[in-house]
């Protein structure tokens, strides 16, 4: 093993004497350094997922839902109409759009959670799962609060 390391060290040192090898090593080092600096600068607030919420309901629960999602640090919420949201999702400007139908608040009050939110995702995305998890957890919180409130009053 010692002999192998000595041979490796000798070959490495002798290859540094060739200018082409030296230029290639310095170029690779420069590229790695540049990539590391670039990656560290782009980690801040840019890690937020841009999503749209289309509020066709306008009720109290819809407003509370929008407020809760907007307070989440992982998403950047934009309110817009359905057509604009669908167009921006299809062009890749948004990572998803959540449409709150007209009966969103009524469904939450009645405990009916079938098709409560429509999710529109781009065809190619890696953020559909984290974004949908954020939204579904907020809906589950609203559902649990309403379930407790309904149970207490009964």
């Amino acid at each position: 093993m010692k002999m192998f390391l000595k041979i490796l060290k000798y070959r490495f040192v002798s290859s540094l004497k060739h200018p082409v090898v030296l230029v290639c090593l310095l170029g690779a080092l420069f590229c790695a350094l540049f990539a590391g600096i670039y990656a560290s600068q782009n980690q801040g607030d840019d890690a937020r997922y841009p999503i749209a919420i289309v509020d066709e309901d306008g009720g109290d629960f819809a407003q509370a839902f929008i407020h809760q999602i907007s307070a989440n640090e992982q998403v950047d919420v934009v309110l817009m109409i359905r057509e604009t949201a669908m167009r921006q999702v299809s062009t890749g400007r948004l990572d998803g759009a959540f449409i709150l139908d007209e009966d969103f608040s009524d469904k939450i009050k009645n405990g009916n959670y079938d098709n409560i939110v429509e999710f529109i995702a781009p065809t190619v995305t890696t953020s559909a799962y984290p974004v949908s998890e954020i939204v579904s957890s907020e809906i589950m919180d609203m559902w649990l609060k309403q379930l407790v409130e309904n149970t207490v009053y009964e």
Side-chain angles (χ1 to χ4, degrees):
M1 185 67 163
K2 275 185 167 181
M3 186 58 102
F4 175 74
L5 291 176
K6 283 184 179 182
I7 293 172
L8 189 64
K9 181 182 174 184
Y10 173 75
R11 293 256 171 124
F12 180 73
V13 171
S14 66
S15 65
L16 288 179
K17 294 178 183 175
H18 298 291
V20 174
V21 173
L22 191 60
V23 168
C24 289
L25 283 176
L26 288 175
L29 181 65
F30 177 74
C31 288
L33 184 66
F34 180 74
I37 291 171
Y38 180 77
S40 68
Q41 287 179 346
N42 288 332
Q43 282 185 341
D45 294 332
D46 296 337
R48 296 169 58 112
Y49 299 110
I51 63 169
I53 295 182
V54 178
D55 183 14
E56 295 178 346
D57 180 55
D60 293 337
F61 284 105
Q63 295 303 315
F65 173 75
I66 292 169
H67 178 71
Q68 285 297 111
I69 294 296
S70 297
N72 192 308
E73 296 176 357
Q74 295 176 337
V75 294
D76 187 19
V77 176
V78 180
L79 296 174
M80 56 182 60
I81 61 172
R82 182 185 290 253
E83 292 79 22
T84 306
M86 291 175 74
R87 186 173 50 252
Q88 288 194 9
V89 167
S90 67
T91 60
R93 293 177 130 183
L94 295 173
D95 287 332
F98 295 90
I99 299 172
L100 310 179
D101 290 327
E102 296 170 352
D103 54 352
F104 177 80
S105 295
D106 292 335
K107 284 183 175 182
I108 294 225
K109 285 179 191 173
N110 299 330
N112 179 11
Y113 297 99
D114 294 333
N115 300 321
I116 195 166
V117 174
E118 182 182 349
F119 177 48
I120 301 169
T123 54
V124 179
T125 183
T126 58
S127 61
Y129 179 75
V131 168
S132 64
E133 283 298 312
I134 292 166
V135 170
S136 62
S137 67
E138 292 299 333
I139 290 176
M140 289 300 292
D141 285 346
M142 291 178 71
W143 172 73
L144 287 173
K145 288 176 187 174
Q146 189 61 34
L147 181 66
V148 168
E149 189 175 306
N150 289 344
T151 305
V152 168
Y153 289 124
E154 289 179 356

